Amino acid sequence: MVTFNEQLCGLVTLVKVEGVERYGQLRNDYKDLTVIQAIATGGVVPKEVQNKLVEEGWTRTGYTLCFDCMKGRSDLIAKPPVGAFLEDVARFVGGEQAQHTFGCRAAQFAVMKTVSEFVKEEGQKEYGPIVLADPLCHYTTALAAEAAGLRLLEPSDSGHPEHKVETEGYRLKIEEIMKETGKLPGLIMATHVDPYHGNLCPAEKVGEIAEEYNVPYMVNAAYTAGVLPVDMRELKADFLTVSAHKSMASLGPLGFLATRGGWTDKAFRSSRIVAEGTGRKWRNKILNIFGCSVGGVPLISAMYAFPYVAGRVEKWEEELEKTRWFIQEMTKIEGVRLLGEQPHRHHLLHFETPIFFEISQRHKRKGFFLADEMIERGFVGLQRGMTKNIKLSLYGLSWDEARKARDAFYEIASKYVKEYKLDYNVP
Amino acid sequence: MVTFNEQLCGLVTLVKVEGVERYGQLRNDYKDLTVIQAIATGGVVPKEVQNKLVEEGWTRTGYTLCFDCMKGRSDLIAKPPVGAFLEDVARFVGGEQAQHTFGCRAAQFAVMKTVSEFVKEEGQKEYGPIVLADPLCHYTTALAAEAAGLRLLEPSDSGHPEHKVETEGYRLKIEEIMKETGKLPGLIMATHVDPYHGNLCPAEKVGEIAEEYNVPYMVNAAYTAGVLPVDMRELKADFLTVSAHKSMASLGPLGFLATRGGWTDKAFRSSRIVAEGTGRKWRNKILNIFGCSVGGVPLISAMYAFPYVAGRVEKWEEELEKTRWFIQEMTKIEGVRLLGEQPHRHHLLHFETPIFFEISQRHKRKGFFLADEMIERGFVGLQRGMTKNIKLSLYGLSWDEARKARDAFYEIASKYVKEYKLDYNVP
């Protein structure tokens, strides 16, 4: 039989890297399963979009959208309409300008670099190299700050089990920072919905504080922009960072940075370096996004998915209803408890599940049994090995799929309660 | 008729962004054309790979390869075998470790950040915040230096029309830098093949100089690794930066950074930031690549294409033969001259084409006529508007396609020589 690789080019026998053929045989065991991974459901790409990518030949090269690039920058491309799309993305989130980035992490990095430069501006004595972030911020926020040479400080949250971000904590911390350093932080940031518990942060209130102290303000909307209505004017945000592969039904890596006001020019400033020799300069390239973020097939997928995404945010309440129903259903299993705020206002769910932990102690597959059993029942995305706590999302699932997911958890729980004679009530 | 978007989810009527439906209708006018864009031919993805991406469901989400992620870092994923793949990529280019990055630009940025940190190490007085780069380096090298706070200095090249990088220029410049600053540069870099003329740099020789002065050394192999055999041990490189969407038949954005020796740990060091509040740390995340570079469908495409890529580099001489034949054929058009070194050792070609410039002066489409006419004849990738100089590549084209490309240029030239009664010989 002729293998896939031999079909490819008949070159395999020449290859010096041993065993390289196996990469041609990659199989995706999960291709027919329903995705319930907490951070992936908002990124599920509609089947029609996937098909278009290949049918229309956008998957032919990484430079698929660059053939009509006139100015060496993807945001200035008119065919396909990248420039118009970025304007529409900006409008979609209430911003004035947007650039696409290598994921939300790169968008956050661009903001941190902007701030890092801002606090070093000549004659600027008011702001220090400090980011004041909410205590539930994603690790990429911290790493972006580290890469830009900024410290990361946090107010406290309301503690277990709700872990709510408290607005007044920001104020206290700002006062503390001023006392300690004599300066304001260079940036205040809030994670619109956090990756731990799916709490919706009081981002407008934080924005008011940022405005009051006149500190630039970034909202990380990685888990919100694209699934629920977000307007950075309402949030009073100067910067909004977005993840297309988390929440805009797009392939990755892709994100967006949207900006407002005077921060736009700073964030998207041109390169200033001069090559000392040839004297070359690149004034057409945007420094903080590496000149041009290429885009490629992830960006095309985001464009195809945009009508769908722009439409679905208006149906957010229906998603919330399904999510809240599921929380009710899950907590009927004895001992199961939702972490994060109640009533819950996001699709990302984090449960304490002592029953599954107890089962894992007796199961020969240990903690792995749960993800395994869910996969057997058609659902992929539980963190393998985790049973004490589980995170998942039913965003975008039909009601029928949602009921099946609930039934799967009930079934698994019942099965082992019976098998191990455990003392738990399961509906 | 039900449109594509209506099929998608019937949500279009709810959308607040005006005209958003049009993104669902995107068409790729170039999907059936042969790609001759100078920097894109090495990135053309085999049709079989494109099909596999959708057939196997890898295009379903941006987190397509993350379902079995155990440690929060893509390079540690065993299924699909990302970890093994990165080891094989490292082996493929003679490196010890490799990480995937958001394109070659992000790989270069990781190196520049490493150097920027290195020159600031406590007690380190020997090296300064300067990169000594070849005068044909890509703009992304300069921007990576700028983003990392490094100066960029260049030796001179051999001048027009060959623009060869001269090894001894590096030595002179190092001496100059030492005289001026009292320190060695923090990094020496060479662009293995440059983006302007497709010259193959004497990277081994530069490596010897770097070794002699004991300066870390980076080779940017964006245009070579994946199309011709590259061994960073022979080049004496500490860092090798690779572009998967330029030269590894992959979707983008995707690149690799391969490292050797003591620089591996520095380049791929863990995050050290501590969130001052919660006390959170992220010691499992690699700072210089933003924690984890996600990967997504570009990385899967690179894995599928790898057997093909690892095989094709062994057939590089056949590609060179075709390229050199094409140079001969093109220069039979009167006045056409190849820029860059002779004999040419890379598929990236840059011609002076005064005949096409003269035609553009009379043509109603001005400089746009040439790309237009090539598109009519089945070839996409000439920079629109350019006629005085053109850049292209026939890498990966069959001999038949190469002959057709030549014929297309001959036809266009002949047609207008006749039409405008120009004084040029055309075969």
Side-chain angles (χ1 to χ4, degrees), chain A residues 320-351:
Chain A
L320 258 193
E321 193 192 332
K322 190 174 63 200
T323 289
R324 287 172 179 171
W325 166 84
F326 184 74
I327 294 167
Q328 273 196 325
E329 294 292 288
M330 277 299 279
T331 49
K332 288 179 185 165
I333 302 175
E334 193 179 339
V336 170
R337 173 164 82 148
L338 183 79
L339 299 185
E341 63 180 358
Q342 303 259 27
H344 213 63
R345 294 181 291 170
H346 193 257
H347 63 79
L348 189 151
L349 302 175
H350 186 168
F351 293 103

Side-chain angles (χ1 to χ4, degrees), chain A residues 243-257:
Chain A
S243 172
H245 57 267
K246 274 198 171 85
S247 299
M248 287 184 74
S250 306
L251 292 177
L254 183 68
F256 297 97
L257 171 58

Side-chain angles (χ1 to χ4, degrees), chain A residues 33 47 72 74 95 100 102 105 109 136 156 204 209 219 222 279 287 290 295 308 335 348 358 379 388 427:
Chain A
L33 306 190
K47 188 68 193 159
S74 56
H100 65 93
F102 298 131
R105 61 194 72 210
F109 174 69
L136 301 174
S156 52
E204 299 91 338
I209 294 178
V219 175
L287 175 67
F290 303 93
Y308 164 67
L348 189 151
E358 200 163 327
F379 296 94
K388 215 174 203 168

Side-chain angles (χ1 to χ4, degrees), chain B residues 291-421:
Chain B
C292 158
S293 293
V294 186
V297 79
L299 187 56
I300 293 284
S301 79
M303 292 169 80
Y304 273 125
F306 193 48
Y308 163 67
V309 166
R312 75 182 187 180
V313 298
E314 306 297 329
K315 292 195 163 187
W316 172 241
E317 290 301 323
E318 294 173 31
E319 288 291 337
L320 258 194
E321 193 192 332
K322 190 174 63 203
T323 289
R324 288 173 178 169
W325 166 85
F326 184 74
I327 295 168
Q328 272 195 324
E329 296 291 287
M330 278 298 278
T331 49
K332 287 178 187 167
I333 302 176
E334 194 179 336
V336 170
R337 174 162 81 147
L338 183 79
L339 298 186
E341 62 181 358
Q342 304 258 28
H344 213 62
R345 293 181 292 171
H346 192 257
H347 63 80
L348 189 151
L349 301 176
H350 187 168
F351 293 103
E352 280 179 353
T353 49
I355 180 171
F356 294 128
F357 180 67
E358 200 163 327
I359 294 166
S360 77
Q361 301 297 299
R362 309 177 185 216
H363 201 287
K364 65 177 192 298
R365 292 274 298 146
K366 298 288 174 202
F368 290 87
F369 88 95
L370 186 58
D372 285 353
E373 298 245 8
M374 286 302 285
I375 284 169
E376 277 171 32
R377 287 165 177 80
F379 297 93
V380 67
L382 290 195
Q383 174 68 46
R384 287 185 175 279
M386 298 269 285
T387 54
K388 214 174 202 168
N389 297 270
I390 63 171
K391 282 168 73 178
L392 77 162
S393 157
L394 302 194
Y395 183 80
L397 269 62
S398 67
W399 272 97
D400 191 44
E401 288 170 317
R403 274 187 294 267
K404 277 187 191 150
R406 179 223 26 208
D407 293 347
F409 283 110
Y410 282 4
E411 263 176 52
I412 297 165
S414 300
K415 174 177 151 188
Y416 289 106
V417 160
K418 204 172 291 174
E419 191 168 331
Y420 298 143
K421 298 190 174 52

Side-chain angles (χ1 to χ4, degrees), chain B residues 119-401:
Chain B
V119 299
K120 285 180 208 146
E121 268 175 18
E122 225 183 287
Q124 192 292 109
K125 288 173 185 167
E126 218 175 330
Y127 301 90
I130 286 177
V131 180
L132 179 57
D134 64 276
L136 301 174
C137 72
H138 194 246
Y139 83 83
T140 52
T141 306
L143 263 70
E146 182 176 6
L150 304 171
R151 280 173 66 194
L152 188 83
L153 273 68
E154 306 167 307
S156 52
D157 69 25
S158 70
H160 203 69
E162 285 211 283
H163 294 282
K164 282 188 169 183
V165 169
E166 293 174 330
T167 319
E168 283 309 302
Y170 275 91
R171 187 188 301 281
L172 288 172
K173 206 73 191 176
I174 293 171
E175 294 294 336
E176 243 183 79
I177 291 168
M178 288 175 71
K179 219 175 200 171
E180 184 204 326
T181 69
K183 292 184 179 186
L184 286 161
L187 182 74
I188 290 174
M189 82 77 61
T191 311
H192 198 199
V193 158
D194 80 83
Y196 298 102
H197 317 99
N199 284 358
L200 186 68
C201 171
E204 299 92 336
K205 293 264 167 59
V206 179
E208 281 166 20
I209 293 177
E211 202 168 69
E212 186 187 323
Y213 284 93
N214 196 27
V215 175
Y217 179 43
M218 167 177 113
V219 175
N220 180 5
Y223 298 93
T224 53
V227 298
L228 56 89
V230 171
D231 188 330
M232 60 188 289
R233 289 166 299 195
E234 286 171 16
L235 304 177
K236 302 180 185 303
D238 300 295
F239 307 102
L240 193 88
T241 58
V242 176
S243 172
H245 57 268
K246 274 199 172 84
S247 299
M248 287 183 75
S250 306
L251 292 177
L254 182 68
F256 297 97
L257 170 58
T259 56
R260 285 170 66 224
W263 292 98
T264 298
D265 286 347
K266 287 186 196 286
F268 301 138
R269 80 161 176 87
S270 297
S271 161
R272 289 184 198 131
I273 197 168
V274 179
E276 301 174 48
T278 55
R280 289 178 297 162
K281 299 168 197 164
W282 296 270
R283 296 287 153 86
N284 63 326
K285 304 289 185 183
I286 300 175
L287 175 66
N288 293 331
I289 58 167
F290 303 92
C292 158
S293 293
V294 186
V297 79
L299 187 56
I300 293 284
S301 79
M303 292 169 80
Y304 273 125
F306 193 48
Y308 163 67
V309 166
R312 75 182 187 180
V313 298
E314 306 297 329
K315 292 195 163 187
W316 172 241
E317 290 301 323
E318 294 173 31
E319 288 291 337
L320 258 194
E321 193 192 332
K322 190 174 63 203
T323 289
R324 288 173 178 169
W325 166 85
F326 184 74
I327 295 168
Q328 272 195 324
E329 296 291 287
M330 278 298 278
T331 49
K332 287 178 187 167
I333 302 176
E334 194 179 336
V336 170
R337 174 162 81 147
L338 183 79
L339 298 186
E341 62 181 358
Q342 304 258 28
H344 213 62
R345 293 181 292 171
H346 192 257
H347 63 80
L348 189 151
L349 301 176
H350 187 168
F351 293 103
E352 280 179 353
T353 49
I355 180 171
F356 294 128
F357 180 67
E358 200 163 327
I359 294 166
S360 77
Q361 301 297 299
R362 309 177 185 216
H363 201 287
K364 65 177 192 298
R365 292 274 298 146
K366 298 288 174 202
F368 290 87
F369 88 95
L370 186 58
D372 285 353
E373 298 245 8
M374 286 302 285
I375 284 169
E376 277 171 32
R377 287 165 177 80
F379 297 93
V380 67
L382 290 195
Q383 174 68 46
R384 287 185 175 279
M386 298 269 285
T387 54
K388 214 174 202 168
N389 297 270
I390 63 171
K391 282 168 73 178
L392 77 162
S393 157
L394 302 194
Y395 183 80
L397 269 62
S398 67
W399 272 97
D400 191 44
E401 288 170 317

